[in-house]
Amino acid sequence: MDLDQLEPSDKIIEQFGRQILVPGINEEGQLNLANRKVCIIGLGALGSIASQYLVRSGIGEIYLFDPDIIQESNLHRQINYNLKDIGKLKAKVSEKKLQEINDISKIHSFDKTFESYSQKNFHNSFDLILDCTDSHYNKIFSSKFSKKNQCLFVSISINSTEGIYFSQNYKKDASLCFECLFPKTDQDHRCLNSAMIGPVSGMIASLACTKIIFALASNSLELENEINLIDLLTSDINKLQLSKKICPH
């Protein structure tokens, strides 16, 4: 049957039938995903891979934020781009390519920082914010924004063969923000010149997206408060127990 002739709910089931078979997703979960609104901050190595998986999962609306342009050095790990895209805006190129994946997800792109966007849209009702930037300052800001607006928050980072996954369910409690665990310093830590191998980006982004998809498919938007330290070279994953104390921020 032609997908254009199907009702919206039937079209979702037709396009995502294999995912619907996964325990914990089912038809209801897939329809939940189609009604979720997600924000991805940063469209570099982590953000470009995460954007692909989240669009292909059938999330209803995805907002993309990145003010940077594509450089040749990005191509070995940032999968939304190719040689013809060099010099173009990451946000605009990503929007165009992601919108061609399915006719369920609506993609909105912004070639600006999330902080500048939020100055006029401070109460945007995202279900989840995923921070994929390499900026310590940005992660503190997006964490606090998520907490104030009571939405789920995930931050992922990579360096060489290592990655960090951090999540907080700000819909349920006043648990620790990013700054509680990684306090502000005089310098904004970034990984612009760090060693990097492409598959590490894929592994960390895949871990995050798997957790995100299950959280957004659930009626209760369940997401565990956790931090994982991952070393892909040794295959070690260390899950840290987070304190229950109240965030002072």
Side-chain angles (χ1 to χ4, degrees):
M1 180 180 291
D2 189 339
L3 288 178
D4 292 334
Q5 298 175 356
L6 296 176
E7 294 296 319
S9 59
D10 293 330
K11 187 180 291 187
I12 290 171
I13 293 170
E14 180 73 17
Q15 291 190 2
F16 304 101
R18 294 293 292 276
Q19 183 166 277
I20 289 170
L21 295 175
V22 176
I25 303 291
N26 64 44
E27 290 185 16
E28 183 181 19
Q30 192 63 53
L31 293 173
N32 285 340
L33 287 171
N35 289 306
R36 301 304 189 201
K37 185 176 178 181
V38 171
C39 168
I40 301 176
I41 308 172
L43 294 166
L46 293 166
S48 61
I49 295 170
S51 70
Q52 289 275 342
Y53 278 125
L54 294 180
V55 170
R56 292 178 191 278
S57 74
I59 290 172
E61 279 192 89
I62 297 182
Y63 284 63
L64 308 172
F65 293 90
D66 199 312
D68 293 341
I69 63 170
I70 299 157
Q71 302 178 31
E72 188 171 1
S73 61
N74 300 150
L75 302 183
H76 92 282
R77 66 194 184 281
Q78 300 183 18
I79 65 172
N80 285 354
Y81 321 120
N82 56 45
L83 287 169
K84 294 180 180 178
D85 298 322
I86 293 172
K88 299 177 183 177
L89 289 162
K90 291 182 179 181
K92 298 305 179 186
V93 171
S94 291
E95 178 185 13
K96 182 177 184 299
K97 293 186 178 180
L98 295 170
Q99 197 63 78
E100 295 173 347
I101 292 173
N102 65 50
D103 50 9
I104 301 298
S105 303
K106 295 180 181 178
I107 314 297
H108 312 274
S109 68
F110 301 86
D111 55 342
K112 60 174 69 175
T113 65
F114 178 69
E115 182 177 9
S116 63
Y117 168 85
S118 68
Q119 291 171 356
K120 294 183 179 180
N121 302 273
F122 200 81
H123 297 291
N124 203 323
S125 55
F126 296 114
D127 292 297
L128 181 142
I129 291 177
L130 171 60
D131 192 312
C132 300
T133 67
D134 60 4
S135 166
H136 187 248
Y137 173 85
N138 287 345
K139 290 181 182 297
I140 289 176
F141 180 86
S142 58
S143 171
K144 290 181 177 179
F145 179 96
S146 301
K147 187 168 186 177
K148 184 162 188 176
N149 287 275
Q150 295 185 303
C151 67
L152 307 182
F153 175 74
V154 174
S155 165
I156 49 178
S157 306
I158 53 173
N159 182 26
S160 187
T161 62
E162 300 174 339
I164 298 175
Y165 168 89
F166 170 73
S167 62
Q168 292 284 273
N169 188 347
Y170 294 129
K171 292 183 68 66
K172 296 183 64 175
D173 53 48
S175 53
L176 301 177
C177 71
F178 191 86
E179 188 176 1
C180 293
L181 294 170
F182 306 99
K184 286 181 178 178
T185 62
D186 293 334
Q187 293 182 328
D188 183 28
H189 299 297
R190 302 194 68 185
C191 61
L192 291 174
N193 297 312
S194 299
M196 202 71 62
I197 182 170
V200 174
S201 309
M203 290 293 292
I204 304 303
S206 296
L207 170 70
C209 288
T210 300
K211 292 175 178 287
I212 288 169
I213 290 167
F214 276 101
L216 296 180
S218 69
N219 291 325
S220 56
L221 285 171
E222 289 292 333
L223 185 70
E224 186 177 355
N225 298 334
E226 62 179 311
I227 181 168
N228 293 329
L229 307 179
I230 304 118
D231 189 326
L232 272 299
L233 199 59
T234 62
S235 300
D236 291 332
I237 300 180
N238 294 308
K239 185 175 180 180
L240 305 184
Q241 183 67 44
L242 297 180
S243 169
K244 298 292 185 181
K245 71 177 183 179
I246 300 298
C247 169
H249 303 113

